[in-house]
Amino acid sequence: MNFKPLACGIAAASCLFSAQAYQAVEAGLLPLKERLSVLAQDQKRLDEALRREDNSAEARAQAWRQSQALAAERAQVERKIEQAKSWANSPLLMHAAPAPVEPRHPAPREPKP
C-alpha cells in the first residue's frame, strides 16, 4: 500500500487547520466542572434531608438512594476530567498544540556618535 498520498493529505490538513483552533483544556472542562458544582449542591441538599429526624423512613431511604447515585455520577465526572487532563499532557495526542510565542521587539538602536 502506498502511504505517500495519505501522508501528503495529513500534512496538507495540518497546514490548512491552524493549531490556534484548539481550545485550552481548562476551557473545555468548564461544562464538567459546572456539573460537579451542581452535583455538590444536590449532595448538600440530600445530606440535610438525611440529617433531619422528622423525615419518614421512606423519605430517608429515597434520599440515601439519590445520594448514592450522585456519588457515582460525581466519580464518573471526576474520571472524565482526569482523563481529559492526561490526554492534554500526552505528546502523542497534542502534537499540534500551539507553543507560547514571545513577542519580538526590535533591538533598541544606539545613537551614532
Side-chain angles (χ1 to χ4, degrees):
M1 180 175 205
N2 193 356
F3 289 107
K4 248 185 202 178
L6 178 64
C8 289
I10 291 172
S14 67
C15 290
L16 290 175
F17 302 109
S18 172
Q20 297 295 330
Y22 291 103
Q23 65 178 345
V25 175
E26 292 301 319
L29 293 178
L30 284 179
L32 290 176
K33 289 184 177 185
E34 289 173 3
R35 181 64 185 150
L36 274 180
S37 68
V38 169
L39 290 173
Q41 291 171 355
D42 290 347
Q43 186 68 44
K44 191 178 207 182
R45 181 184 51 83
L46 288 172
D47 287 344
E48 290 173 3
L50 285 171
R51 284 190 201 115
R52 279 191 237 133
E53 294 185 15
D54 60 340
N55 283 346
S56 67
E58 181 60 33
R60 285 179 157 203
Q62 179 69 20
W64 176 256
R65 286 190 294 272
Q66 288 177 346
S67 177
Q68 295 301 313
L70 284 177
E73 185 177 355
R74 186 185 72 236
Q76 181 181 14
V77 170
E78 288 173 349
R79 280 193 305 271
K80 285 182 180 180
I81 289 172
E82 290 304 315
Q83 184 180 32
K85 286 182 179 180
S86 71
W87 284 351
N89 291 331
S90 171
L92 296 175
L93 295 175
M94 299 302 288
H95 66 279
V101 178
E102 295 182 19
R104 293 186 181 191
H105 299 288
R109 293 185 179 185
E110 294 182 14
K112 293 184 180 179

